[in-house]
Amino acid sequence: QRLADLYSAVGRWSKVIETLQKINESAEGSDDARRALHQVAKIYEQELELPDRAIEAFSLLVTTWPDDAEAWASLDRLYQTQARWNELADVLRRRAALSRDPQERSQLLARRAGVLMEWLGAPEEAAAALKHARTIADDPALADQQVTALAKAGREREAAAILESRISALAALTESQGASKGELAALHIRLAQLR
């Protein structure tokens, strides 16, 4: 590790990577190996600007340590910048499964649904991801996204049912707390368009 640090100080990245890979091989499965692989991946990404090699290193990390949230987040970022949508959708699914924070989990599922709809043409799968997200967080934006996914999937009745339940909930709020009538009108217009 000291040798890798010395090579790093003088910017000899190929030697740093070679040394860190020796650490990974000799300390296989340990925390030292994990740290070494993280360093290798970051060097490929930041110093050498080789995203494909960084992806390989981060993929090796999550294969050995499937709960490494930092490596999954890095893969998320790299796949997005490389426009590798199939891989990104899978990474977002895995990140959502690992997340213990309900808000973060629902956001990851919503992002996955967006990738599925916009880039992969899979509105059915997107609607399922959004349905899951809505069980975690009751967010009107998620409901809107799910309505769009269901409409694209040709499931207008289910989309209409979601809008109707949102309308009735918002109508009750409007009467009791004076909530926005404009939002209620927008929901009615959207329901009419669906029908």
Side-chain angles (χ1 to χ4, degrees):
Q1 183 61 56
R2 284 198 298 270
L3 187 59
D5 292 342
L6 287 170
Y7 282 134
S8 182
V10 294
R12 297 201 44 203
W13 303 116
S14 61
K15 288 288 190 183
V16 177
I17 289 169
E18 183 182 319
T19 307
L20 291 171
Q21 284 174 336
K22 285 182 181 174
I23 292 172
N24 179 42
E25 290 166 13
S26 63
E28 189 177 350
S30 71
D31 284 340
D32 289 335
R34 189 178 192 165
R35 277 191 297 278
L37 272 177
H38 267 285
Q39 284 181 280
V40 166
K42 286 176 183 172
I43 289 169
Y44 278 132
E45 182 182 3
Q46 297 165 4
E47 304 299 336
L48 300 176
E49 296 179 5
L50 295 170
D52 288 336
R53 298 300 297 269
I55 287 171
E56 287 173 20
F58 283 123
S59 295
L60 181 59
L61 260 164
V62 297
T63 301
T64 310
W65 294 277
D67 62 341
D68 192 319
E70 184 184 343
W72 284 115
S74 296
L75 282 170
D76 178 340
R77 183 183 63 254
L78 286 163
Y79 285 142
Q80 177 134 6
T81 58
Q82 296 291 303
R84 291 171 60 175
W85 306 118
N86 282 315
E87 293 91 340
L88 178 59
D90 187 51
V91 165
L92 290 169
R93 180 182 55 80
R94 290 172 184 263
R95 285 189 68 201
L98 285 173
S99 177
R100 297 292 160 241
D101 176 26
Q103 187 66 31
E104 180 189 26
R105 191 176 205 179
S106 67
Q107 288 173 351
L108 289 166
L109 288 167
R111 277 187 60 214
R112 179 171 188 262
V115 169
L116 289 166
M117 270 196 310
E118 293 171 33
W119 300 106
L120 300 177
E124 287 278 345
E125 207 174 334
L130 289 162
K131 183 177 182 180
H132 184 182
R134 287 187 63 213
T135 63
I136 299 165
D138 186 25
D139 183 355
L142 292 174
D144 288 340
Q145 232 182 320
Q146 187 180 14
V147 167
T148 303
L150 288 168
K152 282 188 179 181
R155 294 165 52 187
E156 287 84 4
R157 283 188 180 163
E158 291 175 60
I162 291 170
L163 284 174
E164 287 166 357
S165 69
R166 285 202 53 218
I167 288 169
S168 61
L170 197 58
L173 269 177
T174 303
E175 288 176 17
S176 66
Q177 299 174 1
S180 169
K181 291 184 180 181
E183 189 179 347
L184 190 58
L187 289 173
H188 277 291
I189 290 169
R190 193 153 183 214
L191 181 60
Q193 287 171 332
L194 261 179
R195 287 183 175 157

